[in-house]
Amino acid sequence: MSIVESEAVRPEDDPTLGPLLELDRELVNVGKKIRVLKAIDWPVELEATFLEGYERGNPQLPDPPRRHPDLSGEMDALRAIMGKLDRGHPIGDWLFKTAWSYLTAAQMLMNVGNETFTRCSTALYGRPDGVHSSQTSSAYDAAQDVISITDDLISREAIPSVPADIPAEEFAERLRERLGSFFDRDRVDVVLNPDLSSKATAGSKSINLRSTALFSELDLAQLTEHEAFVHTATLLNGKHQPHLKSLGLGSPRTTRAQEGLATFSEIITGSIDLARLRRVALRVIMVKRALDGADFIEVFRGFLDAGQTPVESYRSASRIFRGGDVRGRICFTKDGAYLQGVMIVYLFIRKALQEGKAEMLPLLFAGRVTTTDVITLSPYLETGLISRAVYVPPWARNPQRVLSLLAFFTAAQRFRLDTLNLDSFVAFENALVDETLQTQWR
């Protein structure tokens, strides 16, 4: 009998849950001290220095500060927690993997700039050329397909770019209007920050926007679906959990599924555009180049040659080399996880709905989880150990809507664009009329 089909024991009837819940709380206390992105972010002033050199025709490799936080105490605490956990119990195994995730992240941060950093990063976020067990190709293969397909579908001259002309303050006010009716049990602020390296980030209490950035109309839909309705919502749903508080942690092992879910949310709601999709794919390709030895300037030029502006190219390249070595081979592989994550989430949702497990869809939002966690934890939904998600995006509330879209897209894949041109549609209709004329009045 599979985990999904087994009958979970109610919390009050399982004497092993008491110690596990205590270890869950210990894990939360340790895990919240290990903050990956904050530890490896680059100072914003590096951007102006690099771009000035580029404009003069003499770009120099950036020289970001290397921080090596002492997390040895946290690592010892995590090892102690892992030693007490029973991996034969589904909750014990889930907690063990979460603790392992933080242990690996701590080891990564203590090895900024050397090969161990990359080994830990690929253990957590994968490699672009790695193949998931449910797939026959890698994220790198998929990324190349995306670039090739979008090159065939459009030309940069034919599709006008969406202007980014909305000031951050105006954009923030419009975003607040969208969030107010959704987060009806929690306060989620929209905060402007001039020092933010990304254009936007999400936490459980706020959506943070770079105050110096200009935003587009498409950004409004994308940030709402990706940052607010997934990243902030899953964190808040985890914090609302009555027992398993680790569901409110953004543990590194959940990154691939969470970024995949957030990107899938953009796709399923029609909030993504071709430029954004290409950007996600390009990051996968450039992570592989960096792993293969390309330095920062070569990766920067790779983004530039693909159509990004110098500012966008710098920011995309700096994301990859955070915590790494700007000379290449040692880099942060998180950006390679988005495309693989969205493929995994897509396949998981299709399979869950196909097998009549529609109740699993909202569980993707019950906290920071992976697709494996959903399978492992779903039996505990009915026992009270795990509560249903408070915040679920509108698209995920109706499985039939999702299933109909996925069914259509799957069927449409049978038709190949490379066998057609616009004249094919004329020929098809003319052939239909001619055939009818030959048989209609006989």
Side-chain angles (χ1 to χ4, degrees):
M1 183 178 292
S2 70
I3 293 173
V4 178
E5 295 168 339
S6 64
E7 182 179 352
V9 179
R10 294 186 178 278
E12 59 270 23
D13 298 328
D14 187 348
T16 64
L17 278 177
L20 290 175
L21 294 180
E22 290 180 11
L23 291 170
D24 169 70
R25 283 157 178 75
E26 288 183 31
L27 180 54
V28 170
N29 290 332
V30 179
K32 65 185 180 183
K33 299 175 184 177
I34 302 170
R35 303 178 65 183
V36 172
L37 297 184
K38 185 176 182 180
I40 61 175
D41 261 351
W42 285 12
V44 293
E45 56 267 21
L46 287 179
E47 178 180 315
T49 302
F50 177 83
L51 291 177
E52 285 172 7
Y54 165 74
E55 292 295 338
R56 293 195 304 267
N58 185 31
Q60 301 293 314
L61 290 175
D63 186 21
R66 289 186 178 179
R67 311 178 192 95
H68 295 87
D70 183 6
L71 297 170
S72 54
E74 285 76 12
M75 292 177 71
D76 289 341
L78 289 165
R79 291 190 184 98
I81 291 171
M82 292 166 69
K84 298 175 186 176
L85 288 166
D86 176 12
R87 296 197 68 184
H89 192 292
I91 302 300
D93 187 55
W94 170 71
L95 289 171
F96 184 94
K97 289 186 289 188
T98 301
W100 164 85
S101 172
Y102 276 111
L103 181 66
T104 305
Q107 185 178 16
M108 179 178 71
L109 295 179
M110 290 182 66
N111 287 277
V112 162
N114 65 45
E115 292 179 358
T116 301
F117 179 89
T118 298
R119 284 200 298 269
C120 292
S121 179
T122 56
L124 292 171
Y125 311 113
R127 288 183 58 95
D129 49 2
V131 179
H132 187 264
S133 59
S134 64
Q135 297 171 305
T136 57
S137 59
S138 67
Y140 180 74
D141 297 327
Q144 290 184 307
D145 285 345
V146 168
I147 297 301
S148 175
I149 291 167
T150 54
D151 280 343
D152 288 342
L153 286 174
I154 66 168
S155 67
R156 295 189 190 107
E157 294 76 21
I159 302 296
S161 60
V162 178
D165 54 6
I166 305 174
E169 289 189 6
E170 178 186 339
F171 186 85
E173 189 56 39
R174 293 174 64 179
L175 185 57
R176 290 186 189 104
E177 292 174 2
R178 290 198 171 203
L179 303 188
S181 58
F182 183 78
F183 294 113
D184 56 359
R185 289 180 53 180
D186 296 271
R187 177 174 176 173
V188 176
D189 296 321
V190 179
V191 178
L192 299 177
N193 182 353
D195 297 325
L196 202 64
S197 57
S198 301
K199 202 169 185 178
T201 61
S204 62
K205 296 181 180 179
S206 65
I207 308 292
N208 306 294
L209 306 175
R210 190 168 67 241
S211 60
T212 57
L214 291 173
F215 296 84
S216 69
E217 289 291 342
L218 281 172
D219 287 333
L220 186 60
Q222 289 169 3
L223 292 182
T224 299
E225 296 294 339
H226 188 110
E227 302 292 349
F229 288 0
V230 175
H231 289 332
T232 296
T234 54
L235 273 178
L236 284 173
N237 288 336
K239 292 180 183 301
H240 281 298
Q241 288 293 332
H243 301 294
L244 293 174
K245 297 302 181 180
S246 290
L247 286 168
L249 283 175
S251 66
R253 62 179 284 269
T254 66
T255 297
R256 187 162 18 199
Q258 285 296 304
E259 296 296 357
L261 181 62
T263 306
F264 181 83
S265 187
E266 292 182 56
I267 294 170
I268 202 72
T269 59
S271 301
I272 201 167
D273 64 294
L274 281 176
R276 161 77 170 156
L277 185 61
R278 285 174 63 88
R279 190 159 59 246
V280 170
L282 279 169
R283 287 174 179 173
V284 176
I285 292 170
M286 295 305 161
V287 167
K288 186 175 186 302
R289 286 192 191 176
L291 287 170
D292 289 344
D295 66 19
F296 180 91
I297 294 174
E298 291 170 323
V299 170
F300 166 80
R301 292 192 185 281
F303 283 114
L304 203 63
D305 293 343
Q308 291 192 4
T309 67
V311 170
E312 290 172 334
S313 298
Y314 170 86
R315 291 172 181 169
S316 294
S318 64
R319 289 170 61 98
I320 293 171
F321 285 95
R322 290 175 291 182
D325 188 327
V326 294
R327 294 170 297 181
R329 298 199 183 280
I330 298 170
C331 63
F332 188 51
T333 60
K334 175 176 178 282
D335 275 358
Y338 286 61
L339 195 57
Q340 187 181 56
V342 76
M343 298 298 181
I344 292 170
V345 167
Y346 165 73
L347 291 171
F348 175 81
I349 292 176
R350 277 185 61 188
K351 199 63 183 177
L353 295 178
Q354 182 189 64
E355 295 189 2
K357 306 292 183 183
E359 71 280 0
M360 286 187 173
L361 191 53
L363 192 54
L364 280 167
F365 299 90
R368 287 291 172 91
V369 296
T370 68
T371 50
T372 299
D373 294 340
V374 171
I375 297 169
T376 301
L377 301 177
S378 60
Y380 296 94
L381 194 61
E382 298 303 323
T383 71
L385 182 65
I386 296 175
S387 66
R388 297 184 183 278
V390 175
Y391 304 112
V392 178
W395 69 263
R397 297 171 192 167
N398 186 349
Q400 291 299 325
R401 177 188 177 193
V402 180
L403 188 58
S404 65
L405 287 171
L406 297 186
F408 171 78
F409 291 143
T410 302
Q413 289 175 0
R414 293 178 179 272
F415 298 93
R416 295 178 52 188
L417 286 180
D418 59 0
T419 65
L420 300 171
N421 55 42
L422 291 178
D423 290 338
S424 302
F425 296 90
V426 178
F428 173 78
E429 184 170 300
N430 288 343
L432 181 65
V433 172
D434 291 343
E435 181 181 352
T436 303
L437 288 174
Q438 292 174 13
T439 61
Q440 192 168 13
W441 293 289
R442 288 183 179 178

